[in-house]
């Protein structure tokens, strides 16, 4: 779209949001200076986090680090594949005989921490600081510490390099007299700790794998030594100032592999690039991540909760992304961020509901890549689950229990809950409908949905044969899920040209027996509460955050001061529900006579006709702006000022019919534009128009065109303090001085 439709005035904008005469739309999306805008969401401590429960998290998706400071800088490291299995490793496809003890003791399944490292100074430069700041920047996934104490000053920058898998820590200090400095690596378990030349580390053999942690320093001469069997160190000659970079790698290999060589190769690669290059590449990676979506919320002068929720959105989206580059799905209970040795609230088992919750907000947030480890975990386990289902139940398809370990073994008390796999497969289907990708559809979504649907059909038939139930007695939600799965499979098998005509005929008969189309929302059971009155939602959401014990880091940690990653995903899902929702046309109480016949055409992916509903639950006094993803491969940008929608812009990735609920209400005249060309001027309850791949379409009020608006760009100011709303707190304030 040509930008000359706008008044060419550009000015930075901070809170409060906007006047009615200004928009941030630049012709294709919302114009944002992401770097400065997200700086206002930095997490800031002005009090030294002496407790591990207050540690700040870093991560690249596979390696995680928790950073706190009990008078010496302390970091605990976590690796996403550091499993400690109770029995010798079994290949995922290995059939398990009934009654094997491996599936009887859930507490035996653990994921371990890799160890701790610390930078210890004598005298301590972190003891009783007169000024202290610890800052986590979600935009760059980087942590900065500045400490001024009577003994001297210290500055630290730390990050887990996105493309290298190595913790990088730049340390600088200045003091009035010589300071003794040591870099320590420690482990509380029995393992082999080593100190050789200028390298220290840990080597441990587990039941099915071996791992090594290795640390080296660049920029200063060091001498390795061993304090005892649990502590090794690198010692730096005393001096009044010091400047070095610490590199730490953790490598896991099979039981017969060489983790030391793998960790050494990682360190050598990182050190060859050097600190500046690694930091530049790391920042570029995360800058590209944040370009994919945008969110702004404002409740005005008297309601700071909206802006607080915005801050939580960015922090928790960072947390999800920082745990999502491993071959295994992340464990929601603790994720990559333990700080109390190996203590985790629950065994290292997967919960189907928790994994679905992690997937749920990703389609709308336009970050399907975060879900890859979960998708790959289900894909890896599918042959195992299919074999177990056939052997143990005598049924086709695949049964996924609610609780299972990484090998697919069930820890359910019973096998009565059979739709965990089906519900997960339907969420993968939703992922594809928002981000259409041929590989995802053919190689991941279709096989899983087909197997889980086949099991559900056979299980349902067996139950009805043994104990016939009327339609009224059956679980409507399960029937609706099966109905949607069958529609999706019929569309996929035809579109992918899969020769299964006999199977398709069976699916058609099953769909007819179910009674046709039934609405099904795979997110319904994942939301902690529902509220039809948008004005009450803010109060309920605030209460929910307090009940879940939101910590100063911004995550929700009800037990043992570790993150509960599925609660973080649930929070994102709630925020999304304020802004964008897909609704079936019948659920909107619309009939064919109410709207243009084109709107009743088949939905994207063979679904029943649906429409994108914007701002369905936003409190009327809030303002907002966003760029998010919608079903059909659409990227939607919109701005609303105190409940009044300013415009909607739709970018189409694959073309096709776009349906929107008229945000100004039925009867309001709306203009739909493709560049300068007016496609239509309509006033119905549903706005339906054809799109082409790569096209951007503007929807505006006919009596308030954007050509009258001032074009602006969103900026922000760097956060310098903790944030509070009532009892909710982000960050830590400085202690009062006497």
């Amino acid at each position: 779209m040509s930008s000359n439709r706008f008044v060419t005035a550009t000015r930075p904008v901070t809170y409060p949001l906007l006047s009615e005469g200004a928009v941030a739309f630049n012709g294709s999306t919302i114009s944002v200076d992401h770097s400065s805008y997200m700086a206002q969401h930095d997490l800031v401590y002005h009090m030294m986090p002496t407790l591990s429960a207050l540690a700040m998290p870093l991560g690249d998706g596979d390696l995680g680090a928790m950073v706190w400071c009990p008078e010496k800088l302390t970091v605990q490291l976590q690796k996403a594949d550091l499993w400690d299995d109770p029995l010798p490793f079994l290949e995922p496809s290995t059939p398990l005989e009934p009654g094997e003890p491996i599936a009887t003791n859930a507490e035996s399944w653990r994921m371990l921490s890799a160890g701790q490292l610390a930078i210890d100074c004598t005298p301590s430069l972190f003891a009783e600081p007169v000024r202290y700041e610890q800052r986590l920047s979600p935009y760059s996934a980087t942590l900065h510490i500045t400490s001024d104490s009577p003994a001297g000053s210290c500055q630290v920058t730390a990050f887990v390099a996105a493309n290298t898998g190595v913790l990088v820590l730049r340390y600088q200090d200045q003091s009035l007299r010589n300071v003794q400095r040591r870099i320590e690596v420690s482990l509380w378990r029995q393992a082999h700790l080593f100190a050789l030349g200028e390298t220290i580390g840990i080597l441990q053999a587990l039941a099915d794998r071996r791992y090594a942690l290795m640390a080296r320093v660049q920029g200063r001469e060091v001498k390795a030594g061993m304090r005892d069997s649990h502590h090794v160190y690198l010692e730096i000659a005393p001096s009044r100032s010091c400047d070095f970079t610490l590199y730490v790698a953790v490598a896991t290999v099979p039981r017969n592999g060489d983790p030391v060589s793998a960790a050494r190769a990682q360190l050598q690669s990182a050190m060859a690039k050097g600190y500046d290059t690694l930091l530049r590449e790391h920042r570029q990676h995360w800058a590209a991540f944040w370009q994919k979506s945008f969110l702004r919320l404002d409740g005005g002068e008297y309601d700071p909760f909206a802006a607080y929720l915005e801050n939580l959105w960015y922090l928790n989206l960072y947390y999800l992304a920082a745990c999502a580059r491993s071959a295994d799905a992340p464990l929601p209970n603790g994720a990559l961020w333990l700080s109390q040795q190996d203590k985790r609230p629950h065994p290292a088992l997967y919960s189907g509901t928790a994994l679905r919750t992690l997937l749920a907000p990703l389609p709308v947030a336009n970050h399907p890549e975060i879900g890859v480890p979960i998708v790959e975990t289900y894909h890896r386990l599918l042959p195992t689950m299919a074999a177990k289902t056939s052997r143990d139940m005598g049924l086709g398809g695949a049964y996924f229990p609610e609780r299972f370990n990484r090998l697919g073994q069930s820890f359910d008390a019973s096998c009565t809950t059979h739709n965990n796999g089906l519900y997960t497969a339907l969420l993968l289907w939703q992922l594809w409908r928002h981000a259409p990708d041929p590989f995802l559809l053919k190689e991941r979504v279709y096989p899983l949905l087909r197997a889980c649907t086949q099991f559900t059909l056979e299980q349902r038939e067996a139950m009805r044969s043994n104990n016939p139930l009327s339609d009224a007695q059956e679980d409507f939600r399960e029937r609706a899920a099966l109905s949607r799965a069958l529609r999706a499979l019929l569309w996929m098998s035809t579109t992918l040209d899969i020769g299964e005509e006999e199977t398709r005929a069976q699916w058609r008969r099953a769909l007819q027996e179910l009674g046709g189309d039934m609405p099904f929302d795979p997110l319904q059971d994942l939301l902690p509460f529902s509220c039809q009155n948008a004005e009450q939602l803010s109060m309920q959401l605030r209460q929910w955050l307090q009940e879940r014990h939101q910590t100063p880091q911004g995550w929700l940690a009800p037990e043992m001061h570790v993150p509960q990653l599925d609660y973080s995903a649930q929070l994102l899902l709630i925020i999304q529900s304020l802004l964008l929702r897909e609704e079936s046309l019948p659920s909107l109480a619309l009939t064919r006579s109410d709207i243009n016949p084109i709107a009743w055409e088949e939905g994207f992916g063979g679904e029943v006709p649906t429409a994108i509903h914007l701002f369905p639950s936003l409190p009327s006094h809030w303002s907002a702006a966003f760029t998010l993803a919608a079903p059909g491969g659409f990227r939607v940008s919109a701005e609303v000022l105190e409940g009044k929608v300013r415009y909607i812009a739709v970018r189409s990735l694959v073309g096709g019919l776009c349906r929107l609920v008229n945000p100004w209400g039925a009867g309001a005249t709306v203009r739909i534009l493709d560049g300068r060309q007016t496609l239509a001027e309509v006033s119905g309850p549903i706005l339906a128009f054809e799109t082409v791949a790569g096209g951007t379409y503007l929807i505006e009020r006919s009596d308030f065109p954007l050509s009258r608006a001032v074009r602006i760009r969103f900026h922000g100011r760097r956060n310098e303090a903790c944030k509070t709303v009532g009892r909710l707190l982000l960050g830590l304030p400085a202690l009062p001085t006497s």
Side-chain angles (χ1 to χ4, degrees):
M1 181 165 300
S2 173
S3 61
N4 63 10
R5 297 189 68 251
F6 300 90
V7 179
T8 57
T10 302
R11 52 188 170 87
V13 175
T14 54
Y15 293 112
L17 194 59
L18 296 175
S19 66
E20 194 167 348
V23 296
F25 182 62
N26 63 11
S28 59
T29 188
I30 293 176
S31 180
V32 185
D33 180 348
H34 286 271
S35 177
S36 71
Y37 187 85
M38 285 194 59
Q40 65 191 348
H41 298 312
D42 286 359
L43 182 65
V44 178
Y45 288 177
H46 286 300
M47 181 193 307
M48 193 162 61
T50 58
L51 302 175
S52 63
L54 300 174
M56 281 187 178
L58 294 172
D60 72 336
D62 183 52
L63 180 64
M66 288 288 272
V67 184
W68 71 104
C69 198
E71 293 198 1
K72 60 182 178 181
L73 187 64
T74 302
V75 182
Q76 179 162 318
L77 293 167
Q78 194 86 13
K79 189 77 162 55
D81 59 353
L82 199 46
W83 301 94
D84 182 25
D85 296 339
L87 290 179
F89 178 66
L90 297 172
E91 291 292 338
S93 59
T94 302
L96 299 172
E97 295 301 325
E100 286 192 15
I102 193 170
T104 61
N105 185 4
E107 300 299 327
S108 298
W109 293 87
R110 301 191 302 161
M111 179 184 281
L112 303 178
S113 294
Q116 284 187 5
L117 64 92
I119 300 178
D120 194 9
C121 303
T122 306
S124 174
L125 301 180
F126 291 100
E128 299 180 355
V130 295
R131 187 177 75 88
Y132 183 88
E133 181 181 278
Q134 184 165 321
R135 174 184 297 271
L136 174 64
S137 166
Y139 180 73
S140 62
T142 304
L143 186 144
H144 303 276
I145 296 175
T146 302
S147 178
D148 296 331
S149 71
S153 298
C154 179
Q155 303 85 41
V156 176
T157 299
F159 58 96
V160 181
N163 300 317
T164 312
V166 172
L167 172 67
V168 182
L169 190 149
R170 182 69 174 272
Y171 176 92
Q172 298 169 294
D173 68 24
Q174 309 82 35
S175 61
L176 297 177
R177 58 194 178 101
N178 284 347
V179 174
Q180 177 71 49
R181 302 169 186 86
R182 273 190 174 187
I183 301 160
E184 294 184 347
V185 166
S186 61
L187 186 67
W188 43 91
R189 304 187 303 268
Q190 290 299 321
H192 175 64
L193 276 67
F194 58 88
L196 301 172
E198 296 182 342
T199 305
I200 55 176
I202 302 168
L203 175 63
Q204 185 173 19
L206 303 172
D208 76 307
R209 63 195 63 203
R210 304 171 77 201
Y211 91 93
L213 180 152
M214 295 183 67
R216 293 189 63 183
V217 164
Q218 193 173 57
R220 299 285 291 195
E221 291 186 1
V222 295
K223 181 180 178 181
M226 177 173 288
R227 197 176 84 191
D228 54 42
S229 62
H230 294 281
H231 299 81
V232 289
Y233 61 85
L234 295 172
E235 191 167 60
I236 300 174
S239 61
R240 288 193 297 175
S241 64
C242 193
D243 186 342
F244 64 83
T245 304
L246 174 65
Y247 298 86
V248 186
V250 181
T252 54
V253 298
R255 190 69 174 83
N256 59 353
D258 183 0
V260 173
S261 295
R264 183 187 298 117
Q266 286 182 271
L267 285 182
Q268 290 173 344
S269 175
M271 296 175 74
K273 285 187 174 184
Y275 172 81
D276 291 333
T277 299
L278 289 173
L279 182 58
R280 181 176 65 252
E281 292 176 352
H282 180 76
R283 286 173 170 168
Q284 289 171 350
H285 169 87
W286 282 96
F289 173 86
W290 293 113
Q291 294 283 337
K292 297 187 70 174
S293 59
F294 172 72
L295 173 67
R296 182 169 196 167
L297 296 172
D298 180 50
E301 182 179 357
Y302 301 105
D303 189 356
F305 186 56
Y308 189 85
L309 279 183
E310 178 190 324
N311 209 148
L312 288 175
W313 162 274
Y314 286 106
L315 280 172
N316 284 279
L317 188 55
Y318 160 71
Y319 296 148
L320 291 182
C323 289
R325 295 179 75 186
S326 171
D328 294 320
L331 283 174
N333 58 318
L336 286 181
W337 296 308
L338 303 186
S339 58
Q340 299 181 36
Q341 301 181 0
D342 296 321
K343 296 179 181 178
R344 193 181 293 272
H346 304 290
L349 300 176
Y350 289 125
S351 157
T353 301
L355 291 181
R356 289 201 304 277
T357 304
L358 293 185
L359 278 171
L362 304 182
V364 173
N366 195 24
H367 284 290
E369 75 281 3
I370 297 178
V372 168
I374 302 175
V375 175
E376 292 304 304
T377 295
Y378 273 88
H379 176 71
R380 171 174 57 82
L381 292 177
L382 183 56
T384 299
M385 296 308 197
K388 283 171 58 62
T389 302
S390 176
R391 184 184 67 245
D392 299 343
M393 301 182 182
L395 299 175
Y399 161 73
F400 282 83
E402 171 60 22
R403 293 178 74 221
F404 55 94
N405 63 20
R406 68 182 188 88
L407 303 180
Q409 296 164 304
S410 173
F411 286 81
D412 283 351
S414 67
C415 295
T416 57
T417 304
H418 59 267
N419 273 328
N420 172 52
L422 183 64
Y423 291 166
T424 301
L426 285 172
L427 272 177
L428 265 62
W429 170 235
Q430 279 294 88
L431 200 67
W432 177 84
R433 294 182 69 244
H434 286 72
D437 175 78
F439 177 84
L440 176 64
L441 182 68
K442 184 176 182 178
E443 302 298 333
R444 297 296 182 263
V445 177
Y446 182 75
L448 183 65
L449 186 59
R450 189 187 191 284
C452 293
T453 301
Q454 183 66 25
F455 169 77
T456 305
L457 284 172
E458 294 192 20
Q459 173 83 345
R460 181 172 181 269
E461 182 62 29
M463 293 177 64
R464 290 169 67 91
S465 298
N466 296 329
N467 185 22
L469 298 175
S470 67
D471 289 346
Q473 291 174 305
E474 285 194 273
D475 188 315
F476 177 82
R477 179 168 172 75
E478 292 184 1
R479 293 179 62 221
L482 186 56
S483 172
R484 186 173 189 186
L486 289 168
R487 288 197 308 271
L489 286 171
L490 286 167
W491 181 88
M492 278 188 275
S493 63
T494 303
T495 302
L496 297 172
D497 195 23
I498 297 174
E500 296 185 323
E501 187 53 46
E502 183 177 344
T503 304
R504 280 196 290 269
Q506 294 174 354
W507 290 340
R508 293 190 192 99
R509 288 195 298 271
L511 185 59
Q512 186 176 10
E513 290 173 3
L514 286 170
D517 297 331
M518 288 179 281
F520 174 78
D521 181 2
L523 308 180
Q524 179 181 334
D525 63 336
L526 303 178
L527 288 166
F529 57 84
S530 60
C531 181
Q532 298 301 318
N533 185 347
E535 305 306 324
Q536 296 176 353
L537 189 140
S538 173
M539 182 181 302
Q540 289 197 22
L541 183 50
R542 189 190 315 244
Q543 181 180 353
W544 182 78
L545 284 170
Q546 291 171 343
E547 291 173 350
R548 289 296 177 272
H549 306 291
Q550 184 216 295
T551 69
Q553 299 99 321
W555 60 35
L556 306 172
E559 297 180 83
M560 293 178 63
H561 305 293
V562 300
Q564 196 73 24
L565 210 60
D566 52 332
Y567 288 166
S568 294
Q570 213 169 30
L571 174 63
L572 300 185
L573 192 60
I574 296 170
I575 295 173
Q576 289 174 0
S577 71
L578 307 177
L579 305 171
L580 189 152
R581 184 185 304 157
E582 181 185 24
E583 299 191 32
S584 67
L585 298 190
S587 71
L588 293 168
L590 296 174
T591 63
R592 292 180 181 269
S593 61
D594 294 325
I595 57 179
N596 190 321
I598 190 177
W600 285 98
E601 293 183 5
E602 184 180 74
F604 184 67
E607 293 280 359
V608 298
T610 62
I612 302 167
H613 191 180
L614 300 182
F615 308 110
S617 303
L618 194 73
S620 59
H621 64 286
W622 284 17
S623 300
F626 70 76
T627 297
L628 297 169
F634 298 116
R635 302 296 175 262
V636 181
S637 300
E639 295 180 50
V640 60
L641 178 66
E642 295 180 349
K644 299 178 181 178
V645 178
R646 192 65 187 85
Y647 69 88
I648 300 169
V650 176
R651 180 165 62 92
S652 177
L653 300 185
V654 296
L657 183 65
C658 179
R659 306 175 183 85
L660 300 171
V661 176
N662 190 334
W664 296 281
T669 305
V670 175
R671 184 183 295 116
I672 303 172
L673 300 121
D674 177 4
R676 299 182 182 182
Q677 179 184 0
T678 299
L679 297 181
E681 196 161 347
V682 296
S683 58
I686 301 296
L687 313 176
F689 55 96
E690 288 289 344
T691 69
V692 297
T696 299
Y697 304 85
L698 177 67
I699 299 92
E700 62 181 13
R701 286 162 45 192
S702 296
D703 60 346
F704 200 169
L706 263 64
S707 57
R708 302 177 186 175
V710 175
R711 186 176 58 180
I712 56 90
R713 192 178 193 203
F714 286 131
H715 295 254
R717 295 177 181 174
R718 194 174 85 146
N719 179 37
E720 300 294 347
C722 68
K723 300 180 180 181
T724 60
V725 176
R727 292 188 297 164
L728 298 172
L729 174 71
L730 281 176
L732 291 175
L735 289 172
T737 56
S738 56

